[in-house]
């Protein structure tokens, strides 16, 4: 795993926690921020996956 994969997966997890917490306490802003953070983490992890695939193909 490269650093983008690790950081991306961590951001996804933090975003998921925020989203669930926001939903549980009725805080729509926190829920929305969690969704955004989760999406950003997913993109970063995907970028890391792509980098790994390119490196493996070389």
């Amino acid at each position: 795993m490269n650093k983008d994969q690790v950081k991306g997966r961590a951001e996804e997890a933090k975003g998921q926690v925020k989203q669930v917490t926001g939903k549980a306490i009725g805080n729509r802003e926190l829920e929305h921020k969690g969704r955004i953070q989760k999406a950003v983490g997913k993109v970063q992890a995907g970028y890391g996956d792509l980098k790994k695939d390119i490196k493996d193909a070389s």
Side-chain angles (χ1 to χ4, degrees):
M1 273 192 138
N2 61 40
K3 66 180 180 180
D4 287 310
Q5 289 173 310
V6 173
K7 287 181 180 180
R9 301 270 183 325
E11 286 301 309
E12 279 186 89
K14 289 191 286 186
Q16 179 68 29
V17 169
K18 281 184 183 179
Q19 183 180 356
V20 170
T21 302
K23 191 170 190 169
I25 63 173
N27 185 333
R28 296 186 74 157
E29 184 179 345
L30 183 61
E31 185 179 352
H32 182 68
K33 285 182 181 181
R35 281 194 181 117
I36 291 170
Q37 187 172 11
K38 193 168 131 182
V40 168
K42 191 171 192 155
V43 169
Q44 185 174 12
Y47 174 70
D49 293 341
L50 179 63
K51 280 178 37 178
K52 183 179 181 306
D53 290 344
I54 290 171
K55 182 180 176 186
D56 291 347
S58 300

